[in-house]
């Protein structure tokens, strides 16, 4: 199957794209056209919406990423990164690897001179994507999560903090 990727909305049927996103089991608010508009109107954000189509011009994949700059000045290029919230959306499980790699390759070509790194923030278990990401040149890094048992008393939780952490918290409280 021939897969082409574009970022040109003029080449895409918008109502079909909306339907594709809404019907995709992995779809989320961060992959919608509404979020694209939010990113577009946010200072120091440059969204990039990519759509993959097959030879029949049917949408088979999409991905919304955003180039984020921490500064508006000359230093913006030293902090620029591309962030994608959630996995690229794909319609056909059998073509998943091919479509995702096409989207990520196109994405990499666009951002290569604009960012210092690209990040896909997973919103669910992505075990089925790890091999695909690897074959596309990405590597997987676990999230750093802190699990705190809130059934414990405040005294127990406080005692689990290091002495230096407790001291800094007390100092912060004292300083308002």
């Amino acid at each position: 199957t021939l897969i082409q990727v574009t970022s040109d909305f003029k080449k895409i049927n918008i109502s079909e794209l909306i339907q594709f996103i809404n019907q995709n089991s992995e779809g989320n608010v961060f992959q919608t056209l509404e979020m694209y508009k939010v990113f577009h109107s946010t200072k120091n954000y440059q969204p990039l919406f990519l759509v993959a189509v097959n030879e029949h011009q049917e949408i088979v994949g999409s991905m919304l990423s955003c180039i984020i700059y921490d500064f508006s000045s000359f230093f913006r290029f030293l902090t620029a990164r591309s962030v994608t919230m959630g996995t690229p959306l794909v319609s056909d499980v059998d073509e998943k690897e091919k479509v995702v790699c096409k989207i990520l390759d196109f994405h990499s070509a666009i951002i290569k001179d604009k960012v210092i790194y690209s990040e896909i923030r997973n919103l669910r278990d992505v075990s089925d994507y790890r091999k695909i990401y690897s074959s596309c040149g990405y590597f997987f890094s676990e999230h750093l999560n802190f699990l705190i048992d809130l059934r414990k008393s405040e005294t127990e939780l406080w005692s689990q903090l290091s002495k230096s952490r407790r001291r800094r918290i007390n100092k912060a409280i004292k300083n308002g």
Side-chain angles (χ1 to χ4, degrees):
T1 307
L2 176 67
I3 306 294
Q4 293 181 312
V5 180
T6 185
S7 61
D8 185 354
F9 282 124
K10 294 176 193 150
K11 296 181 179 181
I12 300 300
N13 181 318
I14 299 299
S15 60
E16 285 180 20
L17 178 58
I18 292 168
Q19 183 178 3
F20 172 81
I21 295 165
N22 290 339
Q23 291 179 349
N24 193 290
S25 63
E26 296 175 0
N28 64 73
V29 68
F30 299 107
Q31 292 293 322
T32 63
L33 291 171
E34 290 80 10
M35 190 54 73
Y36 174 87
K37 292 174 189 173
V38 169
F39 289 153
H40 194 278
S41 64
T42 303
K43 184 180 178 182
N44 295 332
Y45 277 53
Q46 181 184 342
L48 178 60
F49 211 116
L50 304 178
V51 180
V53 296
N54 64 16
E55 66 270 12
H56 307 294
Q57 296 305 301
E58 298 165 330
I59 297 172
V60 294
S62 69
M63 182 177 89
L64 171 59
S65 70
C66 193
I67 297 173
I68 302 171
Y69 303 97
D70 285 337
F71 302 102
S72 296
S73 67
F74 167 78
F75 296 106
R76 69 188 263 159
F77 297 105
L78 299 174
T79 64
R81 65 217 178 264
S82 170
V83 176
T84 302
M85 297 295 288
T87 59
L89 306 180
V90 180
S91 62
D92 186 354
V93 175
D94 296 332
E95 295 279 319
K96 183 185 284 191
E97 182 170 358
K98 183 177 186 178
V99 173
V100 169
C101 282
K102 281 279 193 181
I103 290 171
L104 291 178
D105 287 348
F106 191 86
H107 180 261
S108 295
I110 291 173
I111 67 166
K112 74 175 184 173
D113 294 329
K114 297 179 181 180
V115 301
I116 55 175
Y117 68 89
S118 182
E119 176 181 356
I120 299 173
R121 295 183 181 167
N122 302 309
L123 302 176
R124 63 170 190 80
D125 176 24
V126 291
S127 301
D128 54 330
Y129 275 83
R130 287 172 91 166
K131 180 180 157 222
I132 297 171
Y133 289 157
S134 178
S135 71
C136 299
Y138 283 70
F139 69 93
F140 183 81
S141 177
E142 290 287 346
H143 288 282
L144 175 59
N145 292 320
F146 293 95
L147 301 176
I148 301 171
D149 185 353
L150 297 178
R151 294 173 293 195
K152 293 181 179 180
S153 70
E154 184 177 338
T155 305
E156 280 182 283
L157 293 172
W158 186 252
S159 70
Q160 291 177 338
L161 294 175
S162 70
K163 192 174 185 176
S164 64
R165 175 78 58 201
R166 289 192 304 259
R167 190 173 51 250
R168 288 190 298 233
I169 291 171
N170 284 327
K171 184 178 180 182
I173 291 169
K174 182 180 173 185
N175 292 331

